[in-house]
Amino acid sequence: MSVNADVPDAAPSRLPHMADSPAIDAIGVTFTYPGQSRPAVDRVSLRVEIGERLGILGPNGGGKSTLLKLVLGLLRPDSGSISILGQTARSARESGVVGYVPQRIEAQLSFPISARQAASMPVARAVPPWRPLAQEARARVDRSLELVGASSFADHPVGSLSGGQLQRIMIARAIACGPRVLLLDEPTVGIDVAGQQRFSDMLKGLHESLGLAIVIVSHDIRAIAAGCDRVACLNRTLHSHTAPQGLTPQVLAEVFSHDLRGAFGDVHVDAHAASDCHDPSHHHHEHAHPTEPPA
Amino acid sequence: MKTIRYLTDPALAPVFWPIVLAAVAIALTCALLSPIVVTRRLAFVGQGVSHAAFGGVGLAYALGITGVGGTLASELSLLGVVLAFCLIAALVMARLGRDRAGDADTAIGVVLVAAMAVGFLLLQVAGERAVALGRPKPPSVEAVLFGSLTSIGPVDAAIAGAVLAVVLVAAWLWRRPAVFWAFDEPAAEAFGLRVHLIRDGVMLLLALSIVTTMRLAGVILATAMLVLPGAIALRLSRRLGPVMVLSVGAGLVGTLAGLVLSFEQGLQTGPSIVGVLIVLLVGSALSARLSHGRALAAAGPGAPTTPRETNA
C-alpha cells in the first residue's frame, strides 16, 4: 500500500534540480530476519518528497527500526527497492546525503569527549589522520550546533548533558554533514514534556532553515503529532496514513492491534498511554524501547 | 637501594635493564588502550583473551615450542602460537556472543574456563614429556599465571617495544574512527564506518598487548594493566586529551613503582604493580569525590546534586 496516494501539499523543494527524485522512494520492500518465519517489514511502499516531514508510528516490534536500517542501507531488502534521491540507500548513506539520529541510549556517555567533539565525528571521519580538521569543517559543526541551540553547552563533557541537550548534539552531528534527509529514531525517549516542546520547536526551525526531508520513527504519538506533515502507521505493513489531525482512536487501534478507545479519551491529551501499548506478537529482534522517567 | 645497584652494577645491569625497558613499553602499550577498554567495557573480554593465553602457552610447550634459548626466532614462535590462540579465542567469543546481548557474557565465561583447563592439562603433559625427552621444562603454572621476571630478556624487551610501536601507530592512524566507534557504535555504523573492522582491530591490539604483558604480570594480572590506568584517568578527567595523558602517567607510575617495590622487598612483580595501581585508583576516586564535593559547596545550596539533573 502506498502512503503517497493523498499527499498533502509537500513543502517546496529547495533544490529544484533534484525535484524529480523523491527524498525516499521505497517500493514493495520486504525484509525477513534470518531464522524468522514472518517478515519484519512486509511489502512496504513509501514515498517522501524533498522537504516533507513524515512521522512513522508503530508499536515496538512493528518493524520501525528495521525500516530505518533498510533506508540507511544497513540491511538489504529481500524484495522491493529503496532509493534515496535517486541513489541506492547504501551510497546515499556513505555520501552523507542521509543524516541519522539514533536513540541516544546507545552512546557510551562515560566516554571522555565534549559535545562539540561528539558532533564533529562524522565530519572528521573522512579527514586523513595526518591532517587536522579543516577550518571550513569546524565552521560547519559550529553552525550546526548553533542551529540546534547547543552553542552554550558545546564544550561540556557529553556525560554531563541532559537528555534534551544530548538530543540536540546528536541532531547537530547529523546535520553537520549537510544531509538532505534526516532520520530520527525514537527521538523523544527519555525527554520530559517541556523538553518535548523545545524539541519540536527546534525541529521546526531546522526544517524551515535547511529544507530537509525529515522522517521520525516512534511508538510515541507525542513525538510524531508535534511536527509532521503526514503520519504513516507501521505494524509490519504500512497500515494507514493521514495528516496528524486524522490520528483517531480507530486509526491507532488498527495499527496497535488494540482497541485504544478506552485508553484514549483524547489522543492529544492522553497521548502518553500509547507508549505502553505493545503488539502482542512482539518480535525479540526488535529492541525494546523502555520509556525512561523524565530526566 | 637495591634498585640502583641492580641497574648500575655491571654484572646485574644486563639482566635488569631489559626488565625495566620491557616493563615501560608494556605499561605504555596497556595505558594507551586502557581508556577504550574501560569505556567500551572490554575488561571481561580482555580477561577472556588473557586466559586464552594460558591455553596458548600450554599448547606451545606441548608442541615443543618453548622459547627457551632467548633467540628472536624461538621467542617469536612461542609468541606466535600464544597470539594465534588468543585471537582464535577472541573470535570464538565474538561469534558466540554476537546474536544476543546476554550471550556475550556466557561466551566469555565458557572460553575462559575452557582455555584454562586446556592450558593446565597441556602444561602437565608437556612437563611429563620434557622430563622423558630431556627437554627444557615448561614454566611453572604460577609463573604463567602471575608473571615471572626471570623469563624477561633483551629479546622480550625488543618485542615489547615493537608492540608498543604498532599500537602507537595504529592509535594515531585510526584515532578518529576508533573514537567514533568507542563513543557510539551504532551511529558510527550508520555514518558509514566499517565497525566490524575497527572492533577486530581493537581485539588484535588487545591480544598483542596481553601476550607481551603476560611475562611481566602473568595471565591473571595482565587485564589489570589494561583496565586500571584508564579507570584512574576517567575518575580524574572527562576530556580525551587529559584522559590519555593521565592513563599513560598512571600506567608508568604504577609499573615503575611496582618494579621498585618488588626489587626492594623481593616481592612478586605482577602483584606489586597491580597493588600500586589499586592504590592510585583509590586515591583518584577519593580526589574525584573531594573535588565534586568542593564544586557543590562552591555552587551553594540548591545546586543540583549531579550534573545530569540540570535540564536543557
Side-chain angles (χ1 to χ4, degrees):
Chain A
M1 180 197 301
S2 169
V3 216
N4 202 36
D6 55 354
V7 191
D9 299 333
S13 167
R14 317 259 155 161
L15 284 179
H17 62 279
M18 282 183 173
D20 33 348
S21 318
I24 300 176
D25 195 7
I27 301 163
V29 172
T30 299
F31 179 82
T32 311
Y33 282 95
Q36 297 286 324
S37 52
R38 273 216 288 182
V41 165
D42 194 4
R43 283 163 293 157
V44 168
S45 293
L46 179 71
R47 196 179 154 106
V48 182
E49 300 298 334
I50 292 166
E52 192 187 9
R53 294 171 299 170
L54 174 73
I56 298 179
L57 180 68
N60 288 329
K64 299 188 301 296
S65 299
T66 307
L67 184 60
L68 271 192
K69 284 184 186 149
L70 287 162
V71 170
L72 281 165
L74 295 173
L75 297 176
R76 207 184 276 261
D78 299 331
S79 60
S81 70
I82 299 179
S83 70
I84 314 287
L85 291 163
Q87 307 181 45
T88 66
R90 201 185 150 151
S91 76
R93 165 168 59 92
E94 283 172 356
S95 64
V97 167
V98 183
Y100 171 56
V101 182
Q103 290 189 51
R104 67 181 179 82
I105 287 168
E106 315 219 28
Q108 302 281 336
L109 298 179
S110 63
F111 202 76
I113 47 166
S114 69
R116 189 190 307 277
Q117 283 172 308
S120 14
M121 281 177 180
V123 176
R125 86 185 163 87
V127 180
W130 51 89
R131 220 176 275 163
L133 197 53
Q135 201 60 48
E136 176 269 333
R138 281 170 207 276
R140 213 147 22 103
V141 172
D142 285 344
R143 164 135 179 79
S144 308
L145 288 166
E146 211 171 289
L147 272 172
V148 300
S151 302
S152 62
F153 51 86
D155 292 311
H156 295 192
V158 282
S160 71
L161 303 182
S162 71
Q165 290 174 326
L166 204 54
Q167 177 92 61
R168 283 158 195 257
I169 297 304
M170 298 291 177
I171 294 172
R173 178 174 76 178
I175 62 175
C177 298
R180 306 301 309 149
V181 181
L182 188 62
L183 306 177
L184 297 106
D185 190 0
E186 300 283 357
T188 54
V189 168
I191 294 184
D192 59 21
V193 177
Q196 182 87 51
Q197 186 55 48
R198 283 192 293 267
F199 166 72
S200 56
D201 290 347
M202 183 261 292
L203 209 57
K204 217 167 280 175
L206 268 190
H207 180 247
E208 278 160 17
S209 52
L210 299 176
L212 297 167
I214 297 179
V215 176
I216 298 179
V217 159
S218 183
H219 67 278
D220 183 353
I221 297 168
R222 292 178 302 173
I224 285 178
C228 291
D229 306 312
R230 279 194 301 141
V231 179
C233 293
L234 180 71
N235 192 357
R236 234 178 306 280
T237 54
L238 268 173
H239 274 256
S240 44
H241 47 89
T242 171
Q245 298 75 16
L247 274 180
T248 60
Q250 287 79 7
V251 170
L252 292 169
E254 192 187 330
V255 69
F256 282 92
S257 329
H258 288 299
D259 186 347
L260 294 182
R261 262 164 292 194
F264 279 68
D266 176 338
V267 171
H268 298 286
V269 174
D270 194 15
H272 187 71
S275 59
D276 299 321
C277 296
H278 297 268
D279 181 6
S281 59
H282 187 89
H283 270 217
H284 72 264
H285 57 252
E286 272 277 332
H287 294 296
H289 307 305
T291 306
E292 285 184 352
Chain B
M1 282 273 283
K2 286 183 194 154
T3 311
I4 292 171
R5 191 163 60 83
Y6 289 165
L7 295 177
T8 51
D9 188 319
L12 296 174
V15 176
F16 281 93
W17 269 108
I19 294 173
V20 172
L21 292 178
V24 167
I26 288 165
L28 291 174
T29 305
C30 292
L32 282 170
L33 295 171
S34 185
I36 289 237
V37 170
V38 174
T39 50
R40 286 296 316 179
R41 292 158 211 211
L42 295 173
F44 195 44
V45 177
Q47 196 79 280
V49 173
S50 66
H51 283 69
F54 186 79
V57 172
L59 179 65
Y61 274 89
L63 292 172
I65 301 166
T66 59
V68 172
T71 65
L72 188 62
S74 67
E75 284 285 343
L76 283 181
S77 51
L78 174 61
L79 285 187
V81 172
V82 179
L83 185 65
F85 207 90
C86 288
L87 287 176
I88 290 168
L91 212 71
V92 170
M93 287 187 285
R95 287 277 178 281
L96 287 179
R98 186 156 295 169
D99 300 335
R100 276 187 290 257
D103 287 356
D105 204 46
T106 311
I108 296 167
V110 169
V111 170
L112 193 154
V113 291
M116 290 299 282
V118 167
F120 198 91
L121 292 177
L122 288 174
L123 274 180
Q124 197 183 353
V125 170
E128 283 161 10
R129 284 183 57 196
V131 172
L133 300 171
R135 277 204 203 139
K137 283 188 77 169
S140 68
V141 168
E142 198 190 299
V144 182
L145 290 181
F146 294 102
S148 143
L149 285 190
T150 52
S151 65
I152 300 178
V155 172
D156 300 284
I159 291 174
V163 169
L164 171 63
V166 168
V167 169
L168 266 176
V169 169
W172 183 75
L173 278 180
W174 287 292
R175 64 188 185 281
R176 286 174 181 139
V179 163
F180 197 173
W181 166 79
F183 172 59
D184 195 344
E185 182 178 281
E189 186 176 23
F191 279 102
L193 258 67
R194 276 173 286 182
V195 289
H196 58 279
L197 284 184
I198 304 176
R199 215 185 294 138
D200 292 349
V202 168
M203 286 315 292
L204 175 64
L205 294 182
L206 271 185
L208 264 176
S209 70
I210 284 168
V211 167
T212 47
T213 309
M214 221 174 55
R215 288 281 170 91
L216 181 71
V219 162
I220 291 187
L221 300 179
T223 340
M225 297 193 65
L226 276 168
V227 171
L228 286 165
I232 292 164
L234 286 160
R235 289 274 175 293
L236 298 174
S237 176
R238 288 213 253 181
R239 310 220 166 251
L240 193 53
V243 161
M244 294 308 293
V245 171
L246 284 165
S247 178
V248 165
L252 271 182
V253 168
T255 303
L256 291 177
L259 266 186
V260 170
L261 188 69
S262 95
F263 289 167
E264 296 299 321
Q265 303 296 324
L267 298 171
Q268 187 92 359
T269 309
S272 305
I273 293 172
V274 175
V276 175
L277 284 171
I278 294 281
V279 169
L280 290 179
L281 177 67
V282 172
S284 67
L286 285 177
S287 102
R289 178 147 302 187
L290 275 178
S291 68
H292 182 57
R294 235 179 283 135
L296 276 188
T305 47
T306 68
R308 278 192 144 281
E309 287 179 23
T310 21
N311 220 321

